[in-house]
Amino acid sequence: MTQSMHSVDESIALLNETGHTVDSVVILDFGSQYSQLITRRVREIGIYAELIAHDMTWEEVSRLNPKAVILSGGPASVYEDGAPQMPGWILEQNLPTLGICYGMQLIAHTMGGKVEPADHREYGPANLNVEPIGDAAQLFEGLPTMINVWMSHGDHISVLPDGFDILAWSANSPAAAMGNGRMVGIQFHPEVNHTDFGTDIIRNFLVNIAGCDTNWSAESFIDAALKDIRERVGDGRVLLGLSGGVDSSVAAALIHKAIGDQLTPVFVNNGLLRQGEAEVVQETFTKAFETNLVYVDASEQFLSKLRGVTDPEEKRKIIGETFVRVFEAEAEKAGPFQFLAQGTLYPDVIESATGKPGDSKTAVKIKTHHNVGGLPEDMQFKLLEPFRLLFKDEVRQVGRLLGVPEEIVERQPFPGPGLAVRLLGEITEPDLDLLRRADAIVREEIEAAGENQNVWQYFAVLLPVQSTGVMGDFRTYAKTCAVRAISSQDAMTADWARLPYEVLAKISNRIVNEVDGINRVVYDITSKPPATIEWE
């Protein structure tokens, strides 16, 4: 049975054991598309936060010893039958609470106020007029009295609970912010970039009202993680699945620092790598780390398993299981190994919606990540996932502190399933060849133009769509390539990159002229949400 090596409730205890007293905050997920962003903003402030299911019991939550609670937004209406409610332990423990959007309405509803459908729904930008009153006025301390905010709601608070004051209003929300001292609510979303001073508002709640210390950092994480790895592994041995990307490479550096030669990194060529990837990873990793890298070419094994498969979820599960089988075979040769280490990140866990966080009734599985929901139940290893609760940019900070070369730390993300999630439909070797060549052109031209400094991720996608074209005097009927380039901070949200037209034109011209089999190039201008970064 697969065994996770990192439970949600151990993080703070481990940090505190190392001498770092770290305050924590829990964000209750009521289904908002922005819930993960709230978590990210709290971490940026320097306070440890975890996103958890809204219906977790106090017995589960208390192990994190939270100093404050944030209630996320959500799609429900608090007065409807079956709508998620505020857990009783918040009031029983008298925890400082910030309610955002649905969270604010939930506070009003729970505390005896009244929530009703608004005459006019309020979506998008709005002007917030701040009129601070009483102790809760600390929420807007040091901020202007007029703030541009982002609204997204159809209900409003028509009657405030006893003891609450209105702190701010907008044209469509007479009570756009309210508070009674330790419990405050805001109708807008401070976590999104569209709200001015949003992070300041969250910080004011956490520091001024909840009394949290801003002492969460990459340094404190490293101290705790090293102690955790040493204690858990003991005299055991760890096999690490290396992809050559940021996450697994930094994980290798961290685990090697903790246990030295008890770690064996294994780089598996699954036949789904980018052009030249196998060679680059081996050269870069061997040069950067004093560990014995094992290289396994399992291309045929993966591609044979994927033959005829078109469903993206099935592809991910096949790839996840095949990886484990390859690792098990390597363990028999050089083992025994008790642990399998991976570079799993917090967004992987959230999007896969497995375990906590993510198993609430409001959670929706976006996709199975091959290293989270795609692993076989009969796996022989215990899992070691030191970054399971970190975002990508936090991993990069850890990597720099560990001395990982910048060329590795700044590598653009590449998914574990590789080109399988960028080749829609059945995976065949001829199509993989088309995609590799097109993708290499995309990367070459973006990097040649210096645009890679401004873009989080950029790649080509091969679509199972053919269209008519003309080249010279001949009619063509060939495949379509989509180009995807996005800007992001942590991959939880993303926007399409505004690449210069000249760069896009050069990419398109080179692909249709140099890659025989593609005669049309399109550019993906969809943000996340509503789309995901990868196509499958």
Side-chain angles (χ1 to χ4, degrees):
M1 178 67 69
T2 302
Q3 298 183 49
S4 174
M5 286 295 298
H6 201 140
S7 65
V8 173
D9 53 68
E10 291 173 336
S11 310
I12 296 301
L14 284 165
L15 286 167
N16 290 338
E17 284 174 13
T18 63
H20 295 275
T21 302
V22 176
D23 289 338
S24 69
V25 173
V26 292
I27 293 98
L28 300 194
D29 183 10
F30 289 95
S32 169
Q33 62 179 322
Y34 303 129
S35 295
Q36 301 92 339
L37 264 183
I38 304 170
T39 312
R40 189 68 201 90
R41 296 294 175 255
V42 175
R43 298 263 192 100
E44 287 172 354
I45 290 165
I47 299 169
Y48 185 78
E50 285 190 23
L51 178 65
I52 65 173
H54 69 84
D55 52 3
M56 284 184 74
T57 66
W58 175 245
E59 182 181 5
E60 295 169 298
V61 177
S62 63
R63 295 167 183 163
L64 277 167
N65 193 28
K67 287 198 71 170
V69 177
I70 298 178
L71 311 178
S72 83
S77 293
V78 295
Y79 46 78
E80 292 177 340
D81 291 340
Q85 298 301 307
M86 190 164 77
W89 53 260
I90 291 179
L91 296 178
E92 292 167 5
Q93 301 298 322
N94 193 30
L95 289 170
T97 304
L98 169 65
I100 296 173
C101 199
Y102 180 86
M104 174 186 181
Q105 296 164 10
L106 196 56
I107 290 174
H109 179 73
T110 304
M111 303 301 288
K114 189 171 185 180
V115 179
E116 296 180 312
D119 293 334
H120 302 284
R121 294 185 176 188
E122 197 171 22
Y123 295 106
N127 292 322
L128 185 77
N129 300 277
V130 178
E131 296 181 352
I133 299 174
D135 292 339
Q138 296 176 91
L139 187 67
F140 296 103
E141 184 177 303
L143 303 182
T145 55
M146 175 78 75
I147 301 174
N148 295 318
V149 300
W150 189 261
M151 294 282 191
S152 180
H153 65 99
D155 295 332
H156 74 145
I157 296 168
S158 56
V159 179
L160 259 63
D162 289 342
F164 281 75
D165 296 310
I166 291 178
L167 305 176
W169 56 274
S170 70
N172 288 318
S173 295
M178 67 176 191
N180 71 348
R182 290 174 63 80
M183 187 169 279
V184 294
I186 51 180
Q187 190 60 74
F188 56 93
H189 288 273
E191 67 273 25
V192 301
N193 290 329
H194 303 295
T195 293
D196 293 342
F197 306 104
T199 300
D200 297 289
I201 292 168
I202 297 172
R203 181 187 291 107
N204 281 345
F205 164 71
L206 294 172
V207 176
N208 296 347
I209 295 176
C212 294
D213 290 327
T214 54
N215 49 17
W216 160 253
S217 66
E219 291 92 337
S220 60
F221 167 80
I222 290 172
D223 289 343
L226 291 173
K227 185 175 188 297
D228 180 31
I229 293 166
R230 289 169 185 143
E231 288 184 353
R232 290 174 180 275
V233 174
D235 296 328
R237 296 180 66 201
V238 178
L239 185 149
L240 179 135
L242 179 75
S243 69
V246 179
D247 312 324
S248 61
S249 296
V250 177
L254 178 70
I255 296 169
H256 186 259
K257 184 178 177 67
I259 60 173
D261 292 340
Q262 291 170 252
L263 169 71
T264 299
V266 176
F267 174 45
V268 176
N269 184 345
N270 59 4
L272 302 165
L273 301 176
R274 292 173 292 192
Q275 188 168 288
E277 190 88 12
E279 296 76 19
V280 168
V281 168
Q282 291 179 80
E283 181 184 349
T284 305
F285 191 84
T286 303
K287 188 166 54 178
F289 300 99
E290 296 179 1
T291 57
N292 180 30
L293 176 64
V294 176
Y295 173 71
V296 181
D297 187 350
S299 304
E300 180 53 38
Q301 186 173 344
F302 279 86
L303 295 180
S304 63
K305 294 274 188 183
L306 290 166
R307 202 160 287 137
V309 179
T310 58
D311 180 73
E313 281 290 287
E314 187 64 21
K315 286 182 189 177
R316 289 174 178 271
K317 289 178 180 176
I318 288 171
I319 292 167
E321 178 170 1
T322 307
F323 264 121
V324 169
R325 300 311 174 208
V326 172
F327 291 142
E328 288 174 346
E330 288 306 306
E332 288 184 12
K333 297 177 189 175
F337 292 93
Q338 292 74 37
F339 305 99
L340 173 64
Q342 300 187 130
T344 308
L345 299 188
Y346 203 22
D348 300 338
V349 176
I350 293 170
E351 289 191 346
S352 294
T354 57
K356 294 182 179 70
D359 63 352
S360 73
K361 299 177 181 67
T362 56
V364 177
K365 178 186 285 189
I366 298 172
K367 57 189 175 184
T368 297
H369 287 259
H370 83 285
N371 57 342
V372 180
L375 298 179
E377 287 296 316
D378 62 345
M379 188 174 76
Q380 299 172 13
F381 305 104
K382 298 176 183 177
L383 280 179
L384 182 61
E385 299 175 308
F387 301 146
R388 190 178 176 85
L389 296 175
L390 294 192
F391 291 94
K392 175 78 73 174
D393 55 332
E394 292 175 319
V395 172
R396 286 191 165 116
Q397 292 174 32
V398 169
R400 290 189 180 97
L401 289 169
L402 291 171
V404 176
E406 198 67 15
E407 60 185 305
I408 293 178
V409 171
E410 281 303 322
R411 286 198 82 193
Q412 69 158 308
F414 186 60
L419 296 180
V421 295
R422 297 176 183 174
L423 198 166
L424 278 63
E426 182 182 0
I427 295 170
T428 66
E429 293 194 53
D431 281 350
L432 279 170
D433 180 60
L434 291 180
L435 179 54
R436 283 194 183 96
R437 290 158 61 197
D439 182 74
I441 291 171
V442 171
R443 290 186 286 134
E444 286 169 13
E445 291 303 328
I446 288 178
E447 289 161 13
E451 292 296 326
N452 56 308
Q453 302 300 319
N454 310 315
V455 181
W456 171 274
Q457 206 167 353
Y458 44 96
F459 52 87
V461 178
L462 189 66
L463 306 181
V465 175
Q466 290 185 288
S467 66
T468 301
V470 58
M471 298 186 76
D473 296 325
F474 296 95
R475 172 187 181 272
T476 62
Y477 191 61
K479 296 208 170 184
T480 301
C481 170
V483 176
R484 180 75 156 147
I486 58 100
S487 57
S488 179
Q489 288 186 319
D490 49 35
M492 295 311 305
T493 60
D495 195 11
W496 61 279
R498 272 62 169 176
L499 293 178
Y501 291 152
E502 313 85 72
V503 176
L504 292 173
K506 196 164 184 182
I507 288 172
S508 176
N509 186 59
R510 282 193 60 193
I511 289 175
V512 296
N513 280 283
E514 297 177 27
V515 185
D516 187 17
I518 296 176
N519 69 351
R520 192 176 297 270
V521 177
V522 297
Y523 190 49
D524 184 348
I525 59 169
T526 319
S527 63
K528 175 189 178 181
T532 55
I533 293 174
E534 301 290 347
W535 276 52
E536 284 201 341

